[in-house]
Amino acid sequence: MHNDLAADAIAVAPIVDPAHARPHATRDEYRSAVEQARGAAAAYYAGEQNLLDDADYDALYARIVASEREHPQWRTGDSPTAVVGTVGGDVEHSSPMLSIGNVFNSEGLRDWAAKLDRTLDRPVTRYTVEPKIDGLAIAARYTEGRLTQLATRGNGYTGEDVTSQARLIAGLPQRLSAPVTIEVRGEVYMTDTDFAKGCDLRLAHGEPVFANPRSAAAGSLRAQRVYDVPLSFMAYAAHGVPEEHAHSHSAVIDHLGALGVATTAQSSAGLAVCTDIDEVTAAVAALGARRGDLGFGVDGVVVKADLTADQEQAGYSTRAPRWGIAYKFPADTRTTTLLRIDVQVGRTGVITPVAVLEPVQVGGVVVTSATLHNFTDLQRRDVRAGDTVYIRRAGDVIPEITGAVPDARPADAEPFSPPEHCPRCGGDIDRSNLRWRCARGRACGEKATLLYYTSRDAMDIEGLGDKILDALLAAGHITDAADLYALDVPTLAAMDRLGTVSATNLVNSIAATKARPLSRVLTGLGIRMTGRTLSRRIARHFGTMDAILAATPAEWEQVDGIGSERAAVILAELAEVAPLIAKLAAHGVNMTEPTGPAATADTGAPADSALPLRRPDGTPMTVVVTGSVPGLTRNQGNEAVEELGGKSSGSVSSKTDFVVVGDGAGSKATKAADLGLPILDADKFARLLAAHRAGDLTTTTEILTTLSR
Ligand code: IVH
């Protein structure tokens, strides 16, 4: 890259390493790439929807740099590598606001550290690891404790005066807690919550929603609007700090915090102090795993030599400090085509719009569908089939569509019309909540409910497939699970594709399930907020269905894994299915749970293949646990992997399915990052285990879906 400063001045720092980018074949191709990059940068500056997503911009930029290396004579003053910020330029910075070098993997990080050790001629004393906030750099001057000037970074030497906007920025007080004269540097950004609020405000004013939090922050800092969009600030450096607080970066940051300024250390990401590069890589991996849960956007991690003495000795190269480096994460927002909008109806009747997408890599995962939240949100955002949409996936968050690129809309794109009737049963829709539901609730899903009752994890009725169920429902022979027990051979034999022999077998296999343990019956009822494991626990706890139906809320809370909220839901659901239970009992379905050693024969435990850490073919996933998992010993961590159906392993290889990274993780986390393996934060692993034990399938699935590569 020729000019890091300029790259950052247009605020879209390249992530693609130019050393590996392909130069353009002709000058014309190079020129049109320059034009395209300038257009995107201009849109970015105006706070408009980006014409290119980050990854595409970075790739474009890298090729421009590569071409200029190969053909220096092609380069003109309008290249994005030469262009500096278009902002006011009326504040001169006290010292240049420099950029920082980038690495993209832990090998790069180790190379940087090794080079720094060589420069110092001794190992770096300590490092700090903090979030690289995805916003824009500003400098805030305080004179005797009062905020006197706020300037954007601009071209690094002079920036635009945005002092009047300071009132919008949380974390940057008008007055410090002490009357010091100091310059604070940091990032202005928009939190995820404020981004959502800001989008709503824009819609309310008839303006298009923001493209992403960063361009929203950039636009809002400059814009004079009739409405105010909240912004936030986080400090990562300062000049003029009194000597007693200036011996290290971490001390400077602590001092700023004490003065009342928001800092990276106080953020949900925190600032880690590490003694060696192994600790650094583990901290980088741990932060990466939490990326989606921080509440604000980070595009990487910044690693710095902590001691001021080390920093001073290392100094600067022509354009960036040698004492610090940015480890960039893969882009978490990309654009792709929205192929169509499907409407899904859940087992309990909840109706949701789901986006079907042209497959796209986002943050290392191929995404083919994404949530559109609810119909109100979808209509407000006016997302249409055929649109080019922004897909955001960060950490564990389910991929979501944050908006559409307006200029890319095909002329014939039709606005989406929400369903007038339930797409499954054709009945009315209950729109009283943001989440629409079929007015018939779970009755809408008769077939889904029946399929669940007959499934392997519940009553496991052999020979009763999808097609026969359809035919039985269509003929009106059954409406619920209990009706299955009333079916006789002549009725079944009279149906298509079933002869007398098959009909007799089916009647027998249905009848045989009457003896199944209570836990399976309970599972088959599909009570919300329970699953196989929790149903088993409930059945064991109460012993009989009568005891279950008679239990008070307080008694429910005695069951391991059931709190007051869950108890209330279960009670309401049981009341709803009480008539079905009575009907099943009248058909002679067993309503007791066997106790004692005999119970092990069929406890209703989930089939092994249904355990969370099983691959689709039923084989166990290989999982490595490194560092500590909250609440578990090392042994218990490995046992937990097995309890979840996985195989725990002590070494990381390309065969590892994922790595659980906790506090104190070392070289295994580094290796996992190098191999590009999915990483699960130890806290989340603990949550996964708790959810599994509680039979909370929604949460286990949610945690695991984001792991797939
Ligand atoms: S330290 C000498 N720390 O990333 C420059 N920068 O390319 C020292 N940034 O322009 C910068 N979070 O706008 C630093 N925790 C952090 C940061 C951070 C975001 C931005 C900053 C800078 C760019 C580096």
Side-chain angles (χ1 to χ4, degrees):
M1 199 162 9
H2 285 231
N3 189 340
D4 240 344
L5 246 182
D8 232 82
I10 55 164
V12 196
I15 181 169
V16 179
D17 183 355
H20 298 112
R22 203 158 40 87
H24 296 98
T26 64
R27 187 171 186 280
D28 280 353
E29 276 179 29
Y30 162 78
R31 284 303 311 160
S32 75
V34 167
E35 286 308 313
Q36 205 186 347
R38 282 170 56 84
Y44 174 82
Y45 257 128
E48 287 167 9
Q49 305 252 354
N50 286 355
L51 304 173
L52 290 174
D53 66 36
D54 289 1
D56 287 338
Y57 181 87
D58 293 343
L60 186 71
Y61 189 95
R63 288 199 65 187
I64 292 173
V65 173
S67 298
E68 290 172 356
R69 268 201 194 139
E70 191 126 326
H71 310 282
Q73 73 282 7
W74 286 0
R75 192 162 184 243
T76 49
D78 65 351
S79 163
T81 65
V83 171
V84 293
T86 58
V87 289
D90 48 10
V91 175
E92 198 165 323
H93 294 307
S94 57
S95 65
M97 291 185 77
L98 293 182
S99 186
I100 195 166
N102 290 331
V103 293
F104 306 96
N105 49 41
S106 43
E107 200 192 344
L109 195 58
R110 281 174 190 281
D111 288 349
W112 165 78
K115 205 164 154 195
L116 184 51
D117 285 353
R118 283 198 301 276
T119 308
L120 299 180
D121 207 17
R122 59 175 169 83
V124 172
T125 317
R126 284 198 310 253
Y127 299 92
T128 57
V129 176
E130 65 193 302
K132 184 169 187 326
I133 310 121
D134 197 6
L136 55 151
I138 58 163
R141 278 188 204 161
Y142 283 93
T143 313
E144 286 167 10
R146 280 177 181 280
L147 180 65
T148 43
Q149 191 168 58
L150 194 62
T152 63
R153 171 191 159 128
N155 62 11
Y157 299 93
T158 50
E160 185 185 20
D161 190 326
V162 287
T163 314
S164 63
Q165 304 290 77
R167 68 194 159 83
L168 299 176
I169 308 172
L172 202 54
Q174 289 292 333
R175 238 177 203 283
L176 299 177
S177 65
V180 291
T181 297
I182 194 172
E183 182 173 318
V184 180
R185 289 183 177 183
E187 204 87 347
V188 170
Y189 67 100
M190 207 177 264
T191 66
D192 293 346
T193 318
D194 287 341
F195 176 66
K197 272 192 219 155
C199 286
D200 285 346
L201 269 171
R202 287 187 49 99
L203 285 166
H205 286 84
E207 293 169 28
V209 292
F210 293 123
N212 56 53
R214 188 184 46 183
S215 58
S220 303
L221 188 63
R222 292 180 175 83
Q224 299 295 332
R225 300 197 182 104
V226 285
Y227 53 92
D228 284 344
V229 180
L231 295 169
S232 300
F233 173 81
M234 228 185 262
Y236 53 68
H239 291 265
V241 174
E243 219 159 274
E244 65 268 32
H245 300 294
H247 60 279
S248 69
H249 173 57
S250 49
V252 167
I253 296 295
D254 281 349
H255 180 58
L256 295 179
L259 288 173
V261 176
T263 66
T264 49
Q266 297 161 346
S267 75
S268 55
L271 180 146
V273 178
C274 301
T275 48
D276 59 33
I277 199 70
D278 283 340
E279 275 183 37
V280 169
T281 42
V284 168
L287 194 56
R290 289 171 52 216
R291 183 180 181 186
D293 301 331
L294 298 173
F296 58 93
V298 293
D299 56 346
V301 171
V302 178
V303 181
K304 298 171 186 169
D306 188 30
L307 293 200
T308 309
D310 285 0
Q311 292 197 359
E312 282 173 354
Q313 198 185 331
Y316 294 78
S317 70
T318 43
R319 46 173 204 229
R322 291 196 191 92
W323 45 258
I325 196 85
Y327 180 113
K328 298 271 289 218
F329 293 145
D332 71 345
T333 299
R334 300 232 48 192
T335 54
T336 189
T337 309
L338 174 60
L339 300 175
R340 57 171 204 278
I341 297 169
D342 279 353
V343 178
Q344 281 182 0
V345 190
R347 205 155 47 81
T348 55
V350 175
I351 306 173
T352 31
V354 175
V356 181
L357 305 165
E358 182 80 47
V360 61
Q361 277 260 351
V362 195
V365 170
V366 177
V367 173
T368 56
S369 71
T371 178
L372 282 158
H373 299 295
N374 56 62
F375 294 100
T376 316
D377 193 61
L378 168 57
Q379 281 197 306
R380 269 194 325 203
R381 287 177 194 274
D382 187 23
V383 174
R384 305 181 185 187
D387 274 350
T388 300
V389 289
Y390 292 99
I391 305 297
R392 189 173 114 97
R393 181 197 160 266
D396 276 352
V397 181
I398 295 168
E400 60 169 351
I401 290 191
T402 54
V405 182
D407 299 341
R409 172 165 289 167
D412 58 352
E414 300 270 346
F416 177 76
S417 351
E420 309 232 314
H421 302 285
C422 170
R424 184 162 62 195
C425 72
D428 288 340
I429 295 177
D430 172 3
R431 296 183 177 82
S432 55
N433 275 307
L434 211 53
R435 288 176 64 160
W436 293 4
R437 268 183 89 156
C438 170
R440 297 172 68 194
R442 68 173 55 243
C444 159
E446 268 167 6
K447 182 176 163 204
T449 310
L450 270 162
L451 270 175
Y452 194 66
Y453 184 84
T454 62
S455 68
R456 265 181 68 186
D457 295 332
M459 293 300 258
D460 193 13
I461 303 184
E462 234 173 90
L464 189 61
D466 192 68
K467 299 233 164 62
I468 304 179
L469 270 184
D470 270 342
L472 288 168
L473 279 166
H477 291 319
I478 54 171
T479 57
D480 61 29
D483 291 339
L484 292 171
Y485 298 100
L487 292 171
D488 53 21
V489 175
T491 311
L492 285 172
M495 298 181 52
D496 277 2
R497 59 182 124 235
L498 273 185
T500 317
V501 176
S502 315
T504 311
N505 287 344
L506 187 51
V507 168
N508 288 339
S509 82
I510 294 174
T513 66
K514 288 186 191 175
R516 294 258 196 267
L518 172 64
S519 53
R520 285 185 171 266
V521 183
L522 204 56
T523 306
L525 292 172
I527 309 285
R528 263 203 299 154
M529 294 186 92
T530 71
R532 296 155 303 205
T533 314
L534 189 56
S535 295
R536 185 156 46 114
R537 206 177 300 149
I538 294 168
R540 283 207 192 130
H541 184 93
F542 291 108
T544 66
M545 185 65 95
D546 285 343
I548 289 177
L549 293 174
T552 61
E555 285 164 348
W556 273 106
E557 288 177 43
Q558 302 284 301
V559 182
D560 189 18
I562 298 185
S564 58
E565 263 176 68
R566 197 186 289 258
V569 172
I570 296 176
L571 273 163
E573 293 263 310
L574 278 173
E576 217 180 290
V577 293
L580 176 61
I581 295 173
K583 206 168 151 189
L584 287 167
H587 278 288
V589 174
N590 168 54
M591 294 289 169
T592 59
E593 187 69 0
T595 50
T600 51
D602 185 355
T603 55
D608 277 351
S609 63
L611 288 165
L613 299 187
R614 287 296 158 114
R615 305 197 185 96
D617 66 0
T619 57
M621 294 188 195
T622 304
V623 179
V624 175
V625 181
T626 172
S628 62
V629 176
L632 302 183
T633 63
R634 179 192 289 267
N635 241 335
Q636 286 170 332
N638 292 329
E639 276 166 23
V641 169
E642 262 129 53
E643 188 184 332
L644 291 160
K647 202 175 100 199
S648 87
S649 161
S651 60
V652 175
S653 78
S654 59
K655 299 223 169 64
T656 310
D657 287 276
F658 66 92
V659 179
V660 176
V661 176
D663 281 347
S667 60
K668 290 180 196 170
T670 318
K671 187 154 183 212
D674 282 347
L675 291 172
L677 295 172
I679 284 168
L680 186 68
D681 178 58
D683 280 328
K684 239 162 258 159
F685 180 71
R687 259 173 44 213
L688 173 71
L689 182 66
H692 172 67
R693 288 182 174 164
D696 180 358
L697 201 61
T698 321
T699 307
T700 53
T701 319
E702 227 168 66
I703 295 176
L704 286 169
T705 35
T706 52
L707 266 178
S708 56
R709 261 179 291 179

